[in-house]
Coordinates of all heavy atoms in Angstrom, one line a residue:
K743 N -4.2 14.1 23.3 CA -4.0 13.3 24.5 C -3.6 11.9 24.0 O -3.7 11.5 22.9 CB -5.3 13.2 25.3 CG -5.8 14.5 25.8 CD -7.1 14.3 26.5 CE -7.7 15.6 27.0 NZ -8.3 16.5 25.9
F781 N -1.4 -9.2 22.3 CA -0.6 -10.4 21.9 C -0.4 -10.4 20.4 O -1.4 -10.1 19.7 CB -1.2 -11.7 22.4 CG -0.9 -12.0 23.8 CD1 -1.8 -11.8 24.8 CD2 0.4 -12.5 24.2 CE1 -1.6 -12.1 26.1 CE2 0.7 -12.8 25.5 CZ -0.3 -12.6 26.5
F895 N -11.5 -2.6 39.9 CA -12.7 -1.8 40.0 C -12.6 -0.7 41.0 O -13.2 0.4 40.9 CB -13.9 -2.7 40.2 CG -14.5 -3.3 39.0 CD1 -14.5 -4.7 38.9 CD2 -15.0 -2.5 37.9 CE1 -15.1 -5.3 37.8 CE2 -15.5 -3.2 36.8 CZ -15.5 -4.5 36.7
L970 N -35.6 -32.5 15.7 CA -36.3 -31.6 14.8 C -36.8 -32.5 13.6 O -36.0 -33.2 13.0 CB -35.4 -30.5 14.3 CG -36.0 -29.4 13.4 CD1 -37.1 -28.7 14.1 CD2 -34.9 -28.4 13.0
L979 N -22.2 -25.2 12.3 CA -21.5 -24.7 13.4 C -20.3 -23.9 13.0 O -19.3 -24.5 12.6 CB -21.1 -25.9 14.3 CG -22.2 -26.8 14.8 CD1 -21.6 -28.0 15.7 CD2 -23.3 -26.1 15.5
Y988 N -13.6 -30.4 23.7 CA -15.1 -30.2 23.5 C -15.5 -30.4 22.1 O -16.5 -30.9 21.8 CB -15.4 -28.8 24.0 CG -16.9 -28.4 24.0 CD1 -17.8 -29.2 24.8 CD2 -17.4 -27.4 23.2 CE1 -19.2 -28.9 24.7 CE2 -18.7 -27.1 23.2 CZ -19.6 -27.8 23.9 OH -20.9 -27.5 23.9
R994 N -18.5 -36.5 18.3 CA -18.9 -37.8 18.7 C -20.4 -37.8 19.0 O -21.2 -38.7 18.6 CB -18.2 -38.2 20.0 CG -16.8 -38.7 19.8 CD -16.2 -39.5 21.0 NE -16.3 -38.7 22.2 CZ -15.3 -37.9 22.6 NH1 -14.1 -37.7 21.9 NH2 -15.4 -37.2 23.7
I1001 N -26.9 -37.7 13.4 CA -27.1 -36.5 12.6 C -25.8 -36.0 12.0 O -25.7 -34.9 11.6 CB -27.8 -35.4 13.4 CG1 -27.0 -35.1 14.7 CG2 -29.2 -35.7 13.8 CD1 -27.5 -33.9 15.5
I1061 N -33.3 -9.8 22.0 CA -34.3 -10.6 21.5 C -35.6 -10.3 22.2 O -35.7 -10.5 23.4 CB -34.0 -12.2 21.6 CG1 -32.8 -12.5 20.8 CG2 -35.2 -13.0 21.1 CD1 -32.3 -14.0 20.9
A1097 N -36.3 -8.1 13.0 CA -35.0 -8.3 13.5 C -34.0 -7.3 12.8 O -33.2 -6.7 13.5 CB -34.5 -9.7 13.2
E1112 N -18.5 6.9 18.9 CA -19.1 7.9 19.7 C -19.2 7.4 21.2 O -19.1 8.2 22.2 CB -20.5 8.3 19.2 CG -21.2 9.4 19.9 CD -20.4 10.7 19.9 OE1 -19.5 10.9 19.0 OE2 -20.6 11.6 20.8

Side-chain angles (χ1 to χ4, degrees):
K743 302 179 180 72
F781 278 103
F895 277 119
L970 188 62
L979 305 180
Y988 182 64
R994 287 196 300 270
I1001 55 172
I1061 298 175
E1112 185 61 22

